[in-house]
Amino acid sequence: MGFDGSSIQGYARIDESDMIAKPDPTTFKILPWRPKENAVGRMFADIYEPDGTPYKGDPRWALKRNLKRLKTLAILSMSVPNWSISISSRVRENP
């Protein structure tokens, strides 16, 4: 699916605007917190240049490239998502 990469702020300059998104069907999931009726799903895509080369600004491509590099060095990479939650409260002083 073609799209204009320059329309996404910070993603591509105007001279890099033509991009191709190739959905990765292995990433398709139904969102479990949405109602079952009229269910909603999500899928990730790899981003390519019009000539078919991976777009160097695509985080998925960077991750795949680095995992491949680590494998050639016989380094095991383990990663997990990091969720950060900050809870704060204001203490009111009695006047």
Side-chain angles (χ1 to χ4, degrees), residues 2-24:
F3 71 99
D4 180 2
S6 67
S7 64
I8 302 170
Q9 186 175 359
Y11 200 73
R13 297 183 301 261
I14 191 70
D15 59 327
E16 302 171 328
S17 62
D18 292 334
M19 303 275 177
I20 299 168
K22 291 186 179 178
D24 178 357

mmCIF file of all heavy atoms in Angstrom, residues 2-24:
data_model
loop_
_atom_site.group_PDB
_atom_site.id
_atom_site.type_symbol
_atom_site.label_atom_id
_atom_site.label_comp_id
_atom_site.label_asym_id
_atom_site.label_seq_id
_atom_site.Cartn_x
_atom_site.Cartn_y
_atom_site.Cartn_z
ATOM 1 N N GLY A 2 0.789 2.077 -0.973
ATOM 2 C CA GLY A 2 1.592 3.283 -1.049
ATOM 3 C C GLY A 2 1.050 4.374 -0.149
ATOM 4 O O GLY A 2 -0.144 4.456 0.092
ATOM 5 N N PHE A 3 1.958 5.190 0.388
ATOM 6 C CA PHE A 3 1.540 6.339 1.195
ATOM 7 C C PHE A 3 2.601 7.420 1.129
ATOM 8 O O PHE A 3 3.738 7.180 0.699
ATOM 9 C CB PHE A 3 1.236 5.927 2.643
ATOM 10 C CG PHE A 3 2.451 5.568 3.457
ATOM 11 C CD1 PHE A 3 3.022 6.486 4.326
ATOM 12 C CD2 PHE A 3 3.014 4.308 3.373
ATOM 13 C CE1 PHE A 3 4.132 6.158 5.070
ATOM 14 C CE2 PHE A 3 4.124 3.967 4.120
ATOM 15 C CZ PHE A 3 4.683 4.896 4.978
ATOM 16 N N ASP A 4 2.242 8.604 1.538
ATOM 17 C CA ASP A 4 3.137 9.761 1.536
ATOM 18 C C ASP A 4 3.805 9.858 2.907
ATOM 19 O O ASP A 4 3.192 10.282 3.876
ATOM 20 C CB ASP A 4 2.331 11.031 1.235
ATOM 21 C CG ASP A 4 3.184 12.287 1.222
ATOM 22 O OD1 ASP A 4 4.414 12.187 1.417
ATOM 23 O OD2 ASP A 4 2.618 13.367 1.011
ATOM 24 N N GLY A 5 5.067 9.432 2.993
ATOM 25 C CA GLY A 5 5.790 9.430 4.258
ATOM 26 C C GLY A 5 6.003 10.807 4.844
ATOM 27 O O GLY A 5 6.124 10.960 6.055
ATOM 28 N N SER A 6 6.021 11.838 3.998
ATOM 29 C CA SER A 6 6.238 13.187 4.522
ATOM 30 C C SER A 6 5.009 13.721 5.254
ATOM 31 O O SER A 6 5.089 14.713 5.964
ATOM 32 C CB SER A 6 6.635 14.148 3.399
ATOM 33 O OG SER A 6 5.567 14.330 2.498
ATOM 34 N N SER A 7 3.861 13.044 5.092
ATOM 35 C CA SER A 7 2.656 13.489 5.791
ATOM 36 C C SER A 7 2.652 13.047 7.260
ATOM 37 O O SER A 7 1.816 13.496 8.031
ATOM 38 C CB SER A 7 1.405 12.970 5.089
ATOM 39 O OG SER A 7 1.365 11.560 5.145
ATOM 40 N N ILE A 8 3.609 12.196 7.641
ATOM 41 C CA ILE A 8 3.745 11.765 9.036
ATOM 42 C C ILE A 8 4.883 12.575 9.641
ATOM 43 O O ILE A 8 6.044 12.406 9.251
ATOM 44 C CB ILE A 8 4.031 10.247 9.133
ATOM 45 C CG1 ILE A 8 2.915 9.466 8.445
ATOM 46 C CG2 ILE A 8 4.218 9.831 10.582
ATOM 47 C CD1 ILE A 8 3.206 8.007 8.270
ATOM 48 N N GLN A 9 4.572 13.443 10.565
ATOM 49 C CA GLN A 9 5.557 14.356 11.138
ATOM 50 C C GLN A 9 6.758 13.599 11.694
ATOM 51 O O GLN A 9 6.623 12.668 12.484
ATOM 52 C CB GLN A 9 4.930 15.197 12.239
ATOM 53 C CG GLN A 9 5.862 16.255 12.777
ATOM 54 C CD GLN A 9 5.172 17.148 13.795
ATOM 55 O OE1 GLN A 9 4.007 16.983 14.088
ATOM 56 N NE2 GLN A 9 5.911 18.086 14.333
ATOM 57 N N GLY A 10 7.957 13.985 11.229
ATOM 58 C CA GLY A 10 9.183 13.396 11.710
ATOM 59 C C GLY A 10 9.550 12.069 11.072
ATOM 60 O O GLY A 10 10.578 11.481 11.399
ATOM 61 N N TYR A 11 8.744 11.565 10.141
ATOM 62 C CA TYR A 11 9.012 10.245 9.565
ATOM 63 C C TYR A 11 9.878 10.313 8.317
ATOM 64 O O TYR A 11 10.801 9.542 8.168
ATOM 65 C CB TYR A 11 7.705 9.517 9.273
ATOM 66 C CG TYR A 11 7.892 8.026 9.154
ATOM 67 C CD1 TYR A 11 8.141 7.256 10.279
ATOM 68 C CD2 TYR A 11 7.842 7.390 7.928
ATOM 69 C CE1 TYR A 11 8.329 5.889 10.187
ATOM 70 C CE2 TYR A 11 8.018 6.026 7.820
ATOM 71 C CZ TYR A 11 8.264 5.282 8.950
ATOM 72 O OH TYR A 11 8.455 3.937 8.845
ATOM 73 N N ALA A 12 9.580 11.211 7.410
ATOM 74 C CA ALA A 12 10.337 11.300 6.164
ATOM 75 C C ALA A 12 10.304 12.726 5.642
ATOM 76 O O ALA A 12 9.332 13.443 5.828
ATOM 77 C CB ALA A 12 9.766 10.350 5.122
ATOM 78 N N ARG A 13 11.395 13.101 4.988
ATOM 79 C CA ARG A 13 11.441 14.419 4.346
ATOM 80 C C ARG A 13 10.635 14.375 3.052
ATOM 81 O O ARG A 13 10.300 13.305 2.553
ATOM 82 C CB ARG A 13 12.892 14.804 4.074
ATOM 83 C CG ARG A 13 13.718 14.960 5.350
ATOM 84 C CD ARG A 13 15.135 15.414 5.017
ATOM 85 N NE ARG A 13 15.819 14.483 4.138
ATOM 86 C CZ ARG A 13 16.683 13.554 4.548
ATOM 87 N NH1 ARG A 13 16.942 13.414 5.825
ATOM 88 N NH2 ARG A 13 17.276 12.766 3.673
ATOM 89 N N ILE A 14 10.355 15.531 2.511
ATOM 90 C CA ILE A 14 9.524 15.614 1.304
ATOM 91 C C ILE A 14 10.154 14.846 0.141
ATOM 92 O O ILE A 14 9.453 14.221 -0.650
ATOM 93 C CB ILE A 14 9.222 17.086 0.913
ATOM 94 C CG1 ILE A 14 8.145 17.155 -0.175
ATOM 95 C CG2 ILE A 14 10.481 17.794 0.447
ATOM 96 C CD1 ILE A 14 6.782 16.776 0.280
ATOM 97 N N ASP A 15 11.507 14.815 0.069
ATOM 98 C CA ASP A 15 12.155 14.084 -1.024
ATOM 99 C C ASP A 15 12.146 12.572 -0.791
ATOM 100 O O ASP A 15 12.565 11.814 -1.652
ATOM 101 C CB ASP A 15 13.576 14.598 -1.244
ATOM 102 C CG ASP A 15 14.457 14.459 -0.015
ATOM 103 O OD1 ASP A 15 13.946 14.568 1.107
ATOM 104 O OD2 ASP A 15 15.668 14.231 -0.184
ATOM 105 N N GLU A 16 11.692 12.127 0.383
ATOM 106 C CA GLU A 16 11.563 10.698 0.681
ATOM 107 C C GLU A 16 10.091 10.319 0.838
ATOM 108 O O GLU A 16 9.766 9.346 1.504
ATOM 109 C CB GLU A 16 12.278 10.368 1.994
ATOM 110 C CG GLU A 16 13.735 10.703 2.035
ATOM 111 C CD GLU A 16 14.309 10.555 3.433
ATOM 112 O OE1 GLU A 16 13.571 10.795 4.414
ATOM 113 O OE2 GLU A 16 15.478 10.216 3.545
ATOM 114 N N SER A 17 9.219 11.109 0.244
ATOM 115 C CA SER A 17 7.807 10.994 0.573
ATOM 116 C C SER A 17 7.134 9.725 0.071
ATOM 117 O O SER A 17 6.220 9.226 0.707
ATOM 118 C CB SER A 17 7.044 12.210 0.073
ATOM 119 O OG SER A 17 7.138 12.310 -1.326
ATOM 120 N N ASP A 18 7.548 9.184 -1.060
ATOM 121 C CA ASP A 18 6.890 7.986 -1.581
ATOM 122 C C ASP A 18 7.370 6.765 -0.804
ATOM 123 O O ASP A 18 8.557 6.449 -0.778
ATOM 124 C CB ASP A 18 7.192 7.794 -3.067
ATOM 125 C CG ASP A 18 6.560 8.872 -3.922
ATOM 126 O OD1 ASP A 18 5.541 9.433 -3.488
ATOM 127 O OD2 ASP A 18 7.088 9.146 -5.011
ATOM 128 N N MET A 19 6.436 6.089 -0.152
ATOM 129 C CA MET A 19 6.749 4.912 0.659
ATOM 130 C C MET A 19 5.750 3.806 0.341
ATOM 131 O O MET A 19 4.662 4.065 -0.172
ATOM 132 C CB MET A 19 6.627 5.227 2.150
ATOM 133 C CG MET A 19 7.464 6.350 2.639
ATOM 134 S SD MET A 19 9.076 5.724 3.027
ATOM 135 C CE MET A 19 9.888 7.231 3.481
ATOM 136 N N ILE A 20 6.129 2.581 0.684
ATOM 137 C CA ILE A 20 5.234 1.441 0.518
ATOM 138 C C ILE A 20 5.163 0.707 1.855
ATOM 139 O O ILE A 20 6.199 0.368 2.438
ATOM 140 C CB ILE A 20 5.743 0.486 -0.579
ATOM 141 C CG1 ILE A 20 5.800 1.228 -1.918
ATOM 142 C CG2 ILE A 20 4.861 -0.759 -0.669
ATOM 143 C CD1 ILE A 20 6.532 0.493 -3.000
ATOM 144 N N ALA A 21 3.953 0.492 2.348
ATOM 145 C CA ALA A 21 3.742 -0.275 3.576
ATOM 146 C C ALA A 21 3.284 -1.675 3.178
ATOM 147 O O ALA A 21 2.277 -1.827 2.489
ATOM 148 C CB ALA A 21 2.700 0.400 4.453
ATOM 149 N N LYS A 22 4.038 -2.692 3.605
ATOM 150 C CA LYS A 22 3.667 -4.082 3.336
ATOM 151 C C LYS A 22 3.237 -4.711 4.653
ATOM 152 O O LYS A 22 4.072 -4.993 5.515
ATOM 153 C CB LYS A 22 4.840 -4.848 2.737
ATOM 154 C CG LYS A 22 5.194 -4.396 1.337
ATOM 155 C CD LYS A 22 6.256 -5.270 0.733
ATOM 156 C CE LYS A 22 6.574 -4.800 -0.680
ATOM 157 N NZ LYS A 22 7.637 -5.601 -1.295
ATOM 158 N N PRO A 23 1.936 -4.917 4.841
ATOM 159 C CA PRO A 23 1.443 -5.496 6.091
ATOM 160 C C PRO A 23 2.050 -6.868 6.362
ATOM 161 O O PRO A 23 2.266 -7.659 5.447
ATOM 162 C CB PRO A 23 -0.062 -5.602 5.872
ATOM 163 C CG PRO A 23 -0.357 -4.622 4.790
ATOM 164 C CD PRO A 23 0.856 -4.609 3.904
ATOM 165 N N ASP A 24 2.330 -7.128 7.621
ATOM 166 C CA ASP A 24 2.872 -8.412 8.067
ATOM 167 C C ASP A 24 1.727 -9.209 8.688
ATOM 168 O O ASP A 24 1.343 -8.957 9.834
ATOM 169 C CB ASP A 24 3.986 -8.175 9.083
ATOM 170 C CG ASP A 24 4.577 -9.451 9.634
ATOM 171 O OD1 ASP A 24 4.100 -10.550 9.284
ATOM 172 O OD2 ASP A 24 5.520 -9.349 10.437
#
